Amino acid sequence: MKVRKAVILAAGLGTRMLPVTKVVPKEMLPVVDTPAIQLVAQEAAESGIEEIIFVISPGKTSLIDHFAPAPELERALEEREKRELLDLVQSVRNLARINAVEQHQPLGLGHAVLQAKNAVGNEPFVVMLPDDIFDCKPPLLRQLLDVAEENDSPAIALLHVALSDVSKYGIVAANKLSAYRYRITGMVEKPAPQHAPSQLAIMGRYVLSPEIFDLLQHAKPGVGGEIQLTDVLLGLAQRRALYGYEIACPRYDLGDRAGFVLAQVAYALKRPELADSLRPRLRELLSS
Ligand code: UTP
């Protein structure tokens, strides 16, 4: 399967990050100086994706503006001979073809994916949740696409989590095929530790086939009227094979305050120009 399109879901309320998300979309919050949505769009582009479809809520146009040309800013940078900054700004709008669809009410991940049905059409595609970032080389999406392509089947990313954390995630039942590779046989949404079929949690990267749209259209809303993606994935696993790929690189959950702060520190320390001044100050803070 050749996958060309990525659907990035960004129509949620971001309540866990209030008050900043009252006006600023959660996906626009930066990791050091780069909005989370850009990091995820870069991951898609570096993985070979040609078109990105953002699912946004009606007010969140800043997400699209970020990927649009900015003629005045670009002219000003050119006049001031800020070549590096100009390249930086221009590279954002050249990442991929950008498209957007609206989700009028945040009725869950499944409902959000369904809004992209016409934009995706009848071809395999990926879904990415921009509040999870993964510091992987090659990019996590590329690794996941390799698994999907090898098997010519949908595949989802899995993270081994602590038993005490299984109740926060969708957890899979799976047969291990080889290192990091699984065939998924079942799924439970937010199980109690004693009922978890494994400690492998579903993370925000999915390679899907277009038949998921039929399943979503016929899905019954669950808790809070939301259409859950997990329920429908189980249907996909039953109809045809669904593979799992275990993530072996650091993950940062930007939708959670502690994860957000940790990502700032980790990504800043990856930059030599910041790391040199930050290290002694962080040591000082830790020892005080
Ligand atoms: P989350 O459930 O983490 O995001 O969804 P949220 O609902 O915005 O956050 P909290 O829990 O209220 O703080 C993961 C991703 O899916 C998108 C969100 O924008 C986020 O990027 N999403 C979620 C949608 O696009 N539509 C939805 O109905 C729900």
Side-chain angles (χ1 to χ4, degrees):
M1 60 159 64
K2 166 83 181 121
V3 182
R4 302 183 305 127
K5 297 183 181 180
V7 176
I8 300 185
L9 304 185
L13 293 174
T15 53
R16 284 171 296 156
M17 289 299 277
L18 279 168
V20 66
T21 45
K22 186 180 167 200
V23 175
V24 182
K26 171 169 84 170
E27 301 79 8
M28 280 304 288
L29 294 180
V31 176
V32 186
D33 53 9
T34 306
I37 195 96
Q38 183 184 328
L39 292 176
V40 175
Q42 278 168 348
E43 180 187 340
E46 285 165 17
S47 303
I49 294 296
E50 296 163 13
E51 178 176 340
I52 295 174
I53 300 151
F54 290 111
V55 179
I56 56 169
S57 53
K60 283 191 179 173
T61 48
S62 63
L63 284 168
I64 308 307
D65 295 344
H66 185 68
F67 294 91
E72 281 176 28
L73 174 64
E74 289 177 26
R75 207 172 316 117
L77 292 172
E78 209 163 339
E79 277 165 18
R80 291 174 200 188
E81 295 182 6
K82 304 266 189 205
R83 193 68 243 173
E84 259 179 50
L85 291 177
L86 183 63
D87 288 348
L88 196 68
V89 169
Q90 289 179 334
S91 69
V92 182
R93 67 169 156 90
N94 293 328
L95 277 177
R97 216 165 39 248
I98 301 293
N99 199 342
V101 297
E102 285 187 354
Q103 183 191 24
H104 292 276
Q105 275 180 295
L107 292 177
L109 298 184
H111 182 261
V113 172
L114 196 50
Q115 309 314 302
K117 180 177 190 275
N118 290 339
V120 169
N122 192 25
E123 57 181 287
F125 65 106
V126 302
V127 170
M128 305 174 85
L129 306 188
D131 47 4
D132 270 330
I133 54 170
F134 302 92
D135 190 10
C136 308
K137 266 204 170 77
L140 176 60
L141 186 66
R142 185 60 260 160
Q143 299 182 34
L144 186 64
L145 281 165
D146 287 344
V147 175
E149 284 168 9
E150 273 163 29
N151 295 292
D152 198 27
S153 284
I156 60 178
L158 302 171
L159 185 72
H160 191 273
V161 297
L163 193 58
S164 52
D165 282 342
V166 290
S167 56
K168 295 186 199 159
Y169 300 99
I171 301 290
V172 299
N175 295 328
K176 190 164 188 166
L177 301 173
S178 59
Y180 307 114
R181 283 162 164 76
Y182 295 82
R183 172 95 185 241
I184 291 171
T185 56
M187 258 167 234
V188 194
E189 190 57 46
K190 303 189 171 71
Q194 65 274 25
H195 296 129
S198 75
Q199 284 170 251
L200 292 169
I202 303 172
M203 289 289 124
R205 301 291 183 273
Y206 314 78
V207 183
L208 300 174
S209 54
E211 59 200 291
I212 194 93
F213 292 121
D214 291 337
L215 293 167
L216 283 170
Q217 256 161 344
H218 295 108
K220 289 196 185 66
V223 195
E226 294 198 355
I227 299 177
Q228 300 296 345
L229 190 55
T230 323
D231 299 343
V232 173
L233 283 174
L234 189 57
L236 196 65
Q238 283 159 352
R239 266 200 197 188
R240 58 186 287 171
L242 175 65
Y243 291 84
Y245 178 65
E246 189 180 341
I247 301 165
C249 36
R251 170 225 181 190
Y252 302 96
D253 178 2
L254 303 176
D256 163 90
R257 292 180 173 90
F260 177 78
V261 173
L262 194 65
Q264 307 304 323
V265 178
Y267 276 71
L269 289 176
K270 276 156 60 94
R271 297 208 194 159
E273 78 279 12
L274 296 176
D276 289 350
S277 67
L278 275 177
R279 267 182 214 286
R281 288 201 246 167
L282 286 173
R283 264 189 225 109
E284 237 172 69
L285 272 178
L286 286 171
S287 62
S288 66

